[in-house]
Each structure stands twice: as C-alpha cells, then as structure tokens.
Amino acid sequence: MKKTLQFGALAGAAALLLAGCASAAQPASDPADSAAVPDGPRVAVGYEGGVLVLGGDDYANLGEFGSEDFIRLNAAGDGRHVMVTTSKGFQLLDAQQPELTDLVVPAATAGHVVSHAGKTVLYDDATSDTTIFDSAELAKTGDALPKADVIAGVTAHHGVSVELEDGTLLTTVGDESGRTGIRVLDKDRNEIASNDECPGVHGEGTAKDEAVVFGCENGALVVKDGTITKLTSPDEYGRMGNAYVSENSPLVVMDYKDDPDAEGYLLRNLALIDTEANTLEKVALPDGVEYTYRGVGRGPDAEAVLIGTDGKLHSIDPATGEIISSLSVVDPWEGPAEWQDPHPSVKVAGSFAYVTDPADSEIIVVDLAADKIAKTLALDHVPNEIAVVG
C-alpha cells in the first residue's frame, strides 16, 4: 500500500512534544548569522543531552542544541540535513545554517535512514512503515517538510528499506518472533520477488550497478537486476549486520561475528563480498586489532577504513582484506559495555576520515590521501554519534 502525506502540521505537533524531552541543562545556542556561516563541510556530533555542529575549514563550533540523552545521527543524503533520531521520530538538523529545526517525521521507534538514487528513506520499527522523500526537495525544506510517499509495513520489526533508481523498493520481512528475509516491490508496490532464507536480516548497502546487500545470521543476500542470491557464511553462525559500501565498487565489506555466545561488541573478522562474482570470504584481522559496527567506512579509492582497538586507523584492501597502511590516531581502547556507549567510531567524507575519541573528548580529522592527521578538534563534550555533511 502506498500513500502520499504532507508532514508540515504533523511534524510541528511532534516537535512540540520533542521539545518537552530536551534537556534543560543544554539549551540551544543561537545559530550563527547566515552572513557569518562559513563554507565547507559540516560535522554533527551527538553527545549526552545534545548535538553540536562543527564547520568551515577550521571546524569551528557553529552551534549547540539540546536534545535527549541518547540520539542517533545520520546524514539525510541531501547535502544539507542530518536526521536526529529521538524517541519522537526523525528530527531535522539543518547542518548548513545550522539549526535544530522543529520539523519531525513522527515515528514510534525511529530506525534506519538510507539515502540512495536521490531518495531519503526512513524506517519505523514500530510499524514497519517506510517513508520516502525526494532528497532534492528535502534540501529545499523551509517551514514544513515536503510531501513523502509512505509504504505501509506488513508486520512490525527492526528493519530497513531502500529504493532503487527505477522506483523498485527493497524492504525487510519479519515479526515479533524474528526477521527472515526481504521483499522486492515494483514502482507500483506490487511484490515481484522475495527471499526468506535470511535469518536475522539486518542492514543494507548499495554497491556498484545497484547491487544491494543485506546481512543475515548465516550469510548475506545480494539483489542484482531483480535476482536475489543467497551467499552462505563459512561458519554455521556467521552473522553480518552492517554493510560498508562504495557505489563505485562491486566489493562490499561487512562486519562478521562467528560466535553467537561471545560477550561484548568487539569483532575480529570481516566479510568480503564480491557482488559481480557472488562470492563471500571471511578474513581475520591481525591479533590485537578489533572493532565495532561504528568503526568501518569506505575511503575515496573504495578502500575500507577501520578504527581498531589498537588505536590505529587501518586502510584495508576490500578485495583481499590485507591492511595497506596504518596510522596511530587515538590511544588503544576497550569495547563498550553497551552498544550505545561512546567509543571510537569513524565517518568518511571525500578524502577525509573523522574519528571520535571519547577518552579525550576530541575529533581526529585524517587526510586519507596524505595518510596523516590533518586536525585534532577539542570538544567540550564526550562525542558519541557523528555524521558528516558536505
């Protein structure tokens, strides 16, 4: 089922509710005058009780805004906004101005944000509804959100959706007892393919030629040219839950967990998927190098970029898993007690990697082309989530 909604009035009402949840200890600072706002990238940093925006060549603090104790941040894919995930839904942070706006896409359990092919796709885990914005229209947002297509979910579960260039929608399937696979819907939202051989389906990534990968507890699904292919893990339990992709490369890097009883959130293996050859390989990292789901990105040459527990930012060949180079950027660290807890993470934009260092309340900016630290940014807060725009 497909419907089109205008979110202006509804978002405003939800934003009023959200304002009541904001921490009184972290009032919003006034956004900078538009004439004084510098050009350049924007780095949004979530911390306990708020979010701040750094920008310009010197990454100056352009504004701080109160929010909830734990928020998630995702670039909206429109070159302007960050989706701030709160208990009320997806709140728009205008990273260019900057301003934490009153505009909220209501969601009982706001989940994944996916941007691809000029669309920004939001997923509500409480309903399994998929909300799709035209990213270019989202970038023009003023006092109200643009219209959006809402595809009603079938059964609520923690899921994700992505829309392809021709309007095809890929969306996960599951219910309260578990997640099982994916459905493929044409532009009129009729089901044209499905697969239920993906227990624990989680995460997605779109590689070259719109080959889309979903992780399973025993492998991965690759969707290409309307065909779904199941790739099986080399272990009986081989869970992949996050895909790190470059849309210029057919090679996908995924996290990999081979012990269902392992405690903590540190991982020591990667999965390498070739979407052209439909192959999957498990690769072990060197001793002493572990990471979490927040710790991997893709660089300007499609290399994998991983912040390890050894404190080094590793550049990894996505075809072989071989570490090409390593750069010390933070002190060695231990895994978080809970997945939400602050711990080193990385986001890549262009030729720069941005590494959070909660231990020292810093952001380390790494020039990947030069293989050196470009800047170290001192913060007044312990960084947790991070998103980069522009």
Side-chain angles (χ1 to χ4, degrees), residues 354-373:
Y354 301 83
V355 180
T356 63
D357 183 4
D360 291 332
S361 295
E362 293 177 339
I363 302 291
I364 314 300
V365 184
V366 178
D367 184 335
L368 296 173
D371 195 26
K372 68 177 184 180
I373 294 175

Side-chain angles (χ1 to χ4, degrees), residues 98-155:
E99 176 188 10
L100 184 59
T101 74
D102 292 333
L103 301 175
V104 177
V105 181
T109 308
H112 284 277
V113 177
V114 175
S115 59
H116 173 69
K119 301 293 184 180
T120 301
V121 182
L122 314 178
Y123 196 92
D124 184 350
D125 292 343
T127 62
S128 286
D129 288 354
T130 297
T131 300
I132 304 174
F133 288 99
D134 183 288
S135 301
E137 292 302 313
L138 194 64
K140 302 174 185 176
T141 297
D143 295 333
L145 288 164
K147 67 180 182 180
D149 290 335
V150 179
I151 294 85
V154 177
T155 308

Side-chain angles (χ1 to χ4, degrees), residues 70 78 90 106 116 126 134 154 214:
F70 178 71
D78 64 351
F90 303 91
H116 173 69
D134 183 288
V154 177
F214 295 84

Side-chain angles (χ1 to χ4, degrees), residues 70-74 112 158 202 239-244 253-257 264-270 290-297 305-307 333 335-336 338-347 384-386:
F70 178 71
I71 55 177
R72 307 208 68 183
L73 303 178
N74 288 281
H112 284 277
H158 177 55
H202 185 274
R239 179 186 185 274
M240 285 155 272
N242 296 277
Y244 311 101
V253 178
M254 300 193 75
D255 56 5
Y256 191 95
K257 181 178 181 180
Y265 299 93
L266 291 178
L267 301 168
R268 59 186 60 86
N269 298 292
L270 292 170
E290 295 177 295
Y291 69 101
T292 75
Y293 72 98
R294 290 185 183 176
V296 188
V305 178
L306 181 149
I307 179 65
W333 51 280
E338 302 293 339
W339 67 266
Q340 301 97 330
D341 293 343
H343 59 278
S345 62
V346 63
K347 290 289 183 183
N384 197 347
E385 292 268 333
I386 182 173

Side-chain angles (χ1 to χ4, degrees), residues 2-371:
K2 173 182 175 181
K3 54 185 176 179
T4 301
L5 293 181
Q6 289 277 7
F7 279 101
L10 186 59
L16 292 176
L17 292 174
L18 178 65
C21 298
S23 169
Q26 298 292 342
S29 62
D30 292 332
D33 291 337
S34 58
V37 174
D39 294 330
R42 297 290 188 266
V43 181
V45 183
Y47 57 87
E48 185 175 359
V51 58
L52 62 88
V53 179
L54 309 174
D57 293 337
D58 294 327
Y59 298 99
N61 188 332
L62 302 182
E64 297 186 22
F65 311 94
S67 189
E68 299 176 347
D69 285 346
F70 178 71
I71 55 177
R72 307 208 68 183
L73 303 178
N74 288 281
D78 64 351
R80 174 183 170 187
H81 293 101
V82 170
M83 292 290 180
V84 181
T85 303
T86 74
S87 62
K88 301 303 178 184
F90 303 91
Q91 185 176 14
L92 258 70
L93 169 66
D94 185 342
Q96 292 299 333
Q97 184 49 31
E99 176 188 10
L100 184 59
T101 74
D102 292 333
L103 301 175
V104 177
V105 181
T109 308
H112 284 277
V113 177
V114 175
S115 59
H116 173 69
K119 301 293 184 180
T120 301
V121 182
L122 314 178
Y123 196 92
D124 184 350
D125 292 343
T127 62
S128 286
D129 288 354
T130 297
T131 300
I132 304 174
F133 288 99
D134 183 288
S135 301
E137 292 302 313
L138 194 64
K140 302 174 185 176
T141 297
D143 295 333
L145 288 164
K147 67 180 182 180
D149 290 335
V150 179
I151 294 85
V154 177
T155 308
H157 65 280
H158 177 55
V160 65
S161 298
V162 57
E163 186 174 73
L164 304 183
E165 290 181 359
D166 65 359
T168 299
L169 183 75
L170 313 181
T171 188
T172 54
V173 175
D175 56 29
E176 61 182 10
S177 64
R179 306 185 298 274
T180 56
I182 64 169
R183 304 167 65 216
V184 181
L185 311 179
D186 65 18
K187 62 182 180 181
D188 296 319
R189 303 319 178 205
N190 300 309
E191 183 175 308
I192 55 175
S194 65
N195 183 290
D196 61 359
E197 300 175 355
C198 189
V201 60
H202 185 274
E204 65 75 44
T206 304
K208 185 178 180 181
D209 297 327
E210 289 201 309
V212 184
V213 175
F214 295 84
C216 318
E217 290 179 353
N218 59 3
L221 298 180
V222 178
V223 186
K224 184 170 55 177
D225 299 327
T227 300
I228 305 174
T229 302
K230 173 64 181 290
L231 304 181
T232 303
S233 299
D235 302 292
E236 181 177 357
Y237 180 88
R239 179 186 185 274
M240 285 155 272
N242 296 277
Y244 311 101
V245 299
S246 166
E247 295 197 352
N248 297 317
S249 171
L251 306 177
V252 175
V253 178
M254 300 193 75
D255 56 5
Y256 191 95
K257 181 178 181 180
D258 57 9
D259 182 358
D261 300 319
E263 297 182 356
Y265 299 93
L266 291 178
L267 301 168
R268 59 186 60 86
N269 298 292
L270 292 170
L272 309 180
I273 293 175
D274 185 330
T275 60
E276 290 182 342
N278 279 335
T279 58
L280 186 160
E281 180 183 3
K282 170 187 173 183
V283 175
L285 293 169
D287 290 343
V289 180
E290 295 177 295
Y291 69 101
T292 75
Y293 72 98
R294 290 185 183 176
V296 188
R298 297 295 290 270
D301 296 320
E303 73 275 21
V305 178
L306 181 149
I307 179 65
T309 51
D310 58 352
K312 296 179 180 180
L313 189 68
H314 301 280
S315 178
I316 299 173
D317 185 336
T320 65
E322 177 185 0
I323 292 180
I324 302 168
S325 63
S326 301
L327 179 69
S328 295
V329 293
V330 299
D331 291 333
W333 51 280
E334 297 181 352
E338 302 293 339
W339 67 266
Q340 301 97 330
D341 293 343
H343 59 278
S345 62
V346 63
K347 290 289 183 183
V348 179
S351 61
F352 290 91
Y354 301 83
V355 180
T356 63
D357 183 4
D360 291 332
S361 295
E362 293 177 339
I363 302 291
I364 314 300
V365 184
V366 178
D367 184 335
L368 296 173
D371 195 26

